[in-house]
């Protein structure tokens, strides 16, 4: 996994440092290792200090992640590198790729064998499982144990199972909300104007009367944004969108094609009826979800938006105005939610050990983490108290609004007094959520990687148009299912069932 010379050099440096440390009689305790003090961020699991940064050769690490490119990213990078150079003698190069291009960019880089170190990955973006099947990412078990003990111990063992394929961890999990809910967010000004009673909304279909009022009463006719199908009670197996899911309450745990289900047909039929009634924008299928979309004023709300404690305050900045939020289902922890925000280390990385040291640092050093989340104090925000900041109103240089993408979100500053306490409530939600019966089962796509690639192409051609109501499911849905079968969906489902049965039999 590692280059021989790197291992030899690193071992010699560690041995030398341990010898010097023993002579000095200085040891760190386990409790010190979990503090935010930079001097305790790079400790081994046995409490011994690692090599001093000066003993490590300088390296530059490249980190790819999706998002809206930020004007002041160079300033953030410079400030972060002052910390990373002191702590692990490394600098970080931040490379933001717009959401619409991110997965394709990773695929091209991996196909070409491009050298890079870190990448944001998940089943829903970046093709996490396909990347593993292509050998694009390194297994992280040993690296986590040796170079990121605090990160490893912070995330519960059960949740780490969600990042495993073939028994090995391939993604460093960002510790934040791991319980998913189908829900909605609605602009507060429109809800107030049209007397929307949020308590009356028990399912997605209940929004139609309100959306009709908005469509008829507003000059610019704000629409509902539909990022994808909002169906409760399924647990995806493998990458989101690949055929093959189970129903949470199915005792037999039978794997089936979600696109053939009654639930999916009912959802896309509802969306198509809304599309025909003018409640969904005509170009919805071509739009990518972004903060710019939310601030455009074109949308009254969003379906299937992540709902969590304090989300209204957090997302007010994304919308540029107050919003109301409501969950429509009970919180559920599934594999694809638990591993929904991770960072992988590329197989082409020349410095995987240092990349893992960096992941330990970004997850334990609050100053470093909040730099990438919120920017520079006095420039992009003003600190109100130890854990509360106020964004500067004239800040146009850095405001990514993606704390969950970079590390332990519970280390993030609050941005509104009303938000204080949300992190504790979120952890409570994680602990009280329902748990999928197959949590921890990770699908190995190796045996059907050709079929998965073919099916992925078909899904990209049909699913978004169906999900957003842009095409008539009475005509297109059966065609979509037939194309999936031609591409190998039945073989994929059979392979998923086989692996799931073996996993269940081993428990």
């Amino acid at each position: 996994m590692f280059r021989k010379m790197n291992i030899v050099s690193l071992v010699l440096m560690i041995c030398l440092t341990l010898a010097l440390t023993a002579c000095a009689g200085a040891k760190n305790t386990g409790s010190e290792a979990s503090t935010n003090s930079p001097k305790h961020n790079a400790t081994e699991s046995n409490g011994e200090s690692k090599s001093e940064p000066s003993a490590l050769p300088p390296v530059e690490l490249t980190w790819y992640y999706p998002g809206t490119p930020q004007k002041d990213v160079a300033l953030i990078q410079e400030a972060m590198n002052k910390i990373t150079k002191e702590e692990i003698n490394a600098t970080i190069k931040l490379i933001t790729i717009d959401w619409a291009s991110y997965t394709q960019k990773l695929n091209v880089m991996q196909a070409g064998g491009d050298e890079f170190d870190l990448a944001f990955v998940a089943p829903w973006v970046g093709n996490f499982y396909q990347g593993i099947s292509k050998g694009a990412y390194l297994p992280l078990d040993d690296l986590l144990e040796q170079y990121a003990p605090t990160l490893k111990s912070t995330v519960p063992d059960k949740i780490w199972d969600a990042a495993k394929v073939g028994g090995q961890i391939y993604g460093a999990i960002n510790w934040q909300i791991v319980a998913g809910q189908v829900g909605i967010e609605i602009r507060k000004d429109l809800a107030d104007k049209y007397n929307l009673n949020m308590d009356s909304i028990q399912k997605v279909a209940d929004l139609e009367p309100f959306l009709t009022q908005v469509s008829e009463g507003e000059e610019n006719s704000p629409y509902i944004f539909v990022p994808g199908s909002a169906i409760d009670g399924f647990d995806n197996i493998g990458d989101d969108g690949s055929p093959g899911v189970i129903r949470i309450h199915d005792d037999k745990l039978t794997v089936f094609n979600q696109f053939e289900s009654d639930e999916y047909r009912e959802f896309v039929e509802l969306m198509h009826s809304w599309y025909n009634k003018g409640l969904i924008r005509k170009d919805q299928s071509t739009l990518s979800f972004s903060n710019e979309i939310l601030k455009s004023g074109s949308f009254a709300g969003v379906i299937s938006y992540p709902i969590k404690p304090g989300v209204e305050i957090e997302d007010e900045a994304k919308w540029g105005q107050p919003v109301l939020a409501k969950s429509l289902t009970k919180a559920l922890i599934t594999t694809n939610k638990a591993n929904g925000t991770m960072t992988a280390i590329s197989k082409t990385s020349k410095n995987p050990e240092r990349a893992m040291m960096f992941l330990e640092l970004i997850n334990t050093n609050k100053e470093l983490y909040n730099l990438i989340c919120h920017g520079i104090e006095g420039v992009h925000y003003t600190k109100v108290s130890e854990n509360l900041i106020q964004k500067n109103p004239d800040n146009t240089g850095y405001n990514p609004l993606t704390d969950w993408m970079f590390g332990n979100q519970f280390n993030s500053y609050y941005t509104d007094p009303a938000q204080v306490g949300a992190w504790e409530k979120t952890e409570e939600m994680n602990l009280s959520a329902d748990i999928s019966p197959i949590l921890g089962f990770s699908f190995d796509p190796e045996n059907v990687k050709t079929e998965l690639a073919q099916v992925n192409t078909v899904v990209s051609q049909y699913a978004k148009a169906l999900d957003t109501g842009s095409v008539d499911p009475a005509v297109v849905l059966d065609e979509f299912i037939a194309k999936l079968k031609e591409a190998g969906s039945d073989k994929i489902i059979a392979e998923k069932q086989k692996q799931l049965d073996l996993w269940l039999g081993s428990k």
Side-chain angles (χ1 to χ4, degrees), residues 45-300:
S45 56
N46 65 1
E48 296 283 356
S49 296
K50 280 189 170 64
S51 302
E52 289 298 319
S54 59
L56 298 170
V59 300
E60 180 184 71
L61 303 171
T62 52
W63 187 5
Y64 284 83
Y65 54 88
T68 302
Q70 303 289 305
K71 185 174 65 176
D72 287 353
V73 69
L75 295 177
I76 307 306
Q77 186 173 284
E78 181 182 5
M80 290 177 66
N81 286 337
K82 290 178 181 178
I83 298 173
T84 58
K85 278 188 67 68
E86 178 182 349
E87 297 299 327
I88 59 173
N89 203 18
T91 56
I92 188 74
K93 184 176 182 180
L94 305 175
I95 305 173
T96 313
I97 307 296
D98 69 271
W99 285 101
S101 305
Y102 184 71
T103 298
Q104 181 181 5
K105 173 69 174 178
L106 278 189
N107 289 340
V108 171
M109 290 169 56
Q110 291 163 0
D114 291 7
E115 186 180 301
F116 68 100
D117 299 289
L118 299 155
F120 178 85
V121 293
W124 57 277
V125 66
N127 288 342
F128 174 60
Y129 291 107
Q130 288 190 41
I132 295 170
S133 71
K134 292 184 292 188
Y137 305 127
L138 290 175
L140 304 182
D141 303 75
D142 293 341
L143 289 167
L144 280 164
E145 290 290 346
Q146 189 167 3
Y147 301 107
T150 304
L151 167 58
K152 181 65 166 57
S153 63
T154 297
V155 178
D157 288 341
K158 186 67 176 178
I159 304 303
W160 280 115
D161 288 344
K164 291 181 179 179
V165 172
Q168 292 182 298
I169 295 171
Y170 282 90
I173 291 175
N174 297 329
W175 186 227
Q176 40 105 35
I177 187 169
V178 295
Q181 295 175 293
V182 173
I184 55 171
E185 286 206 47
I186 302 295
R187 278 172 46 184
K188 186 177 184 301
D189 64 327
L190 294 175
D192 290 344
K193 182 175 180 179
Y194 294 98
N195 299 313
L196 174 64
N197 178 6
M198 291 289 280
D199 291 337
S200 70
I201 308 301
Q202 300 299 317
K203 57 184 183 298
V204 170
D206 294 340
L207 274 174
E208 184 167 332
F210 165 72
L211 295 175
T212 301
Q213 283 183 297
V214 171
S215 179
E216 294 173 350
E218 296 300 305
E219 185 176 344
N220 65 344
S221 299
Y223 305 94
I224 190 72
F225 193 94
V226 188
S229 56
I231 300 174
D232 181 38
F234 292 176
D235 190 354
N236 295 340
I237 298 174
D239 288 314
D240 283 354
S242 71
V245 305
I246 59 101
R247 286 186 173 87
I248 299 301
H249 301 297
D250 175 17
D251 293 337
K252 296 181 179 179
L253 296 179
T254 301
V255 181
F256 65 97
N257 186 344
Q258 65 271 33
F259 301 113
E260 295 185 66
S261 69
D262 291 340
E263 293 93 330
Y264 184 73
R265 183 177 292 274
E266 290 170 5
F267 179 80
V268 297
E269 286 176 347
L270 176 65
M271 292 302 104
H272 186 59
S273 73
W274 284 7
Y275 181 87
N276 287 336
K277 294 172 183 176
L279 308 182
I280 296 176
R281 213 165 98 171
K282 296 303 180 185
D283 62 348
Q284 168 75 88
S285 65
T286 68
L287 300 177
S288 297
F289 192 65
S290 67
N291 294 337
E292 286 71 21
I293 285 288
L294 299 178
K295 289 181 178 179
S296 68
S298 298
F299 297 94

Side-chain angles (χ1 to χ4, degrees), residues 455-490:
V455 159
N456 187 55
T457 299
V458 176
V459 170
S460 66
Q461 291 172 347
Y462 285 89
K464 193 169 185 179
L466 283 162
D467 292 346
T468 58
S470 306
V471 295
D472 186 354
V475 176
V476 177
L477 182 54
D478 288 343
E479 178 184 324
F480 175 33
I481 293 169
K483 291 287 187 181
L484 287 174
K485 290 182 180 297
E486 290 176 14
S489 60
D490 288 344

Side-chain angles (χ1 to χ4, degrees), residues 36 154 174-179 306-315 318 366 369-370 373-374 385-389 391 401-432:
N36 290 317
T154 297
N174 297 329
W175 186 227
Q176 40 105 35
I177 187 169
V178 295
I307 304 300
K308 59 184 179 180
V311 71
E312 297 95 335
I313 301 301
E314 181 179 317
D315 286 342
K318 296 179 182 179
K366 286 189 70 171
Y369 173 76
N370 281 287
C373 291
H374 302 294
S385 63
E386 182 180 356
N387 291 316
L388 177 64
I389 63 172
K391 297 291 184 73
L401 301 172
T402 49
D403 305 23
W404 46 268
M405 188 182 293
F406 302 124
N408 186 337
Q409 191 177 21
F410 302 140
N411 284 331
S412 181
Y413 294 140
Y414 293 112
T415 58
D416 190 290
Q419 199 181 17
V420 174
W423 301 148
E424 290 81 2
K425 292 178 181 177
T426 301
E427 287 201 290
E428 289 176 11
M429 180 177 172
N430 285 343
L431 295 175
S432 64

Side-chain angles (χ1 to χ4, degrees), residues 338-360:
N339 65 14
T341 60
M342 299 182 292
T343 304
I345 297 179
S346 172
K347 188 176 182 179
T348 61
S349 172
K350 288 186 176 180
N351 299 284
E353 300 92 346
R354 206 76 62 87
M356 184 56 74
M357 290 182 190
F358 172 78
L359 290 177
E360 173 82 337

